[in-house]
Amino acid sequence: MKIALVGIGKIALDQHVPALNASPDWDLAATVSRKGTVDGVEAFTDIDAMLEARPDIPVVSLCLPPVPRFEAAQAVLRAGRHLMLEKPPGATLAEVHALCDLAERQGVTIYATWHSRMAMAVAAARDWLAGKTVHEGRIIWREDVRKWHPGQDWIFEAGGMGVFDPGINALSILTAILPQPVRLLSADLDFPANRQAPIAARLQFSQGVGADFDFRQEGPQTWDMEFQTDAGQMALRMGGNRLEIDGRHVQGADDIMGEYPALYARMAKLVGEGKSDADLAPMVLVADAFTLGRRNTVADFQF
């Protein structure tokens, strides 16, 4: 099936293009980007021009930052094409609900992806927790923004989400594996004095679950979560790729792999079955953090 990729930046080149090139389901037939291109693929700089010129492409994958994404997403759906959204699926919950309603009216698939849910050990963690009682949990999600988003000032603009860009990955796993959903109780958000989005956050949820997000960690990166339950301790490490039970490694590996190929396989299945998948639970928790969060001003940040 032919697919167009919109927004040829770092995440598209690092993850989406290799996944599409290796997929038996997809043929990358066009790209749309102000500057980026992919060798051997027809390139456009305007999404409306691509949609008009390539009626043979039934599926579009959007990798744009969240704030400018809505207009492009709306154009795709109005053209009757299936739509795949990089996380987070939009800048606000209201606009994503609007896109879901439009997709339903148009009779096309919309897929709000959460790549961390496809990590190697997430499904096994969900299965192990099923039927158990969580007494407390701790999430530590710390990474280096200069490594993963070099020079990308948009991530610290209003709507760019700041540390919640990676933090929502942890929340996507949390909302997928817990037997009972959590709700946010409180949040402390650290905003650099010269930026509009937080660089660190500390969150407290129900069920005794806490989270520590930080965008300033250099050296080894930390993507861990641990839970104490009525049947022992479970830990997910390396972004959901390694499962430990009572300190013993039982599944997965330290290598991060396979998430984006799994997303595109899921998209092919959804399109084939005429279904959609737009779970917004991780985004709800982030919105609640901005609503309830106490704002702390910290040192200026420069790339």
Side-chain angles (χ1 to χ4, degrees), residues 62-74 85-90:
L62 291 189
C63 303
L64 298 168
V67 169
R69 191 180 300 165
F70 179 76
E71 296 300 332
Q74 198 172 51
L85 297 166
E86 174 63 83
K87 65 87 191 172

Side-chain angles (χ1 to χ4, degrees), residues 2 18 37 50 55 61 96 111 138 179 189 191 208 211 219 231 234 245 247 265-266 270 285 287 297 301:
K2 293 179 180 178
T37 60
M50 185 277 293
S61 179
V96 183
Y111 180 25
R138 180 67 171 165
L189 311 178
F191 285 74
M234 187 213 77
I245 305 297
R266 171 72 172 152
L270 289 171
L285 294 178
T297 301
F301 174 81

Side-chain angles (χ1 to χ4, degrees), residues 287-298:
D288 287 351
F290 278 100
T291 299
L292 292 180
R294 291 181 291 269
R295 180 180 179 124
N296 308 305
T297 301
V298 298

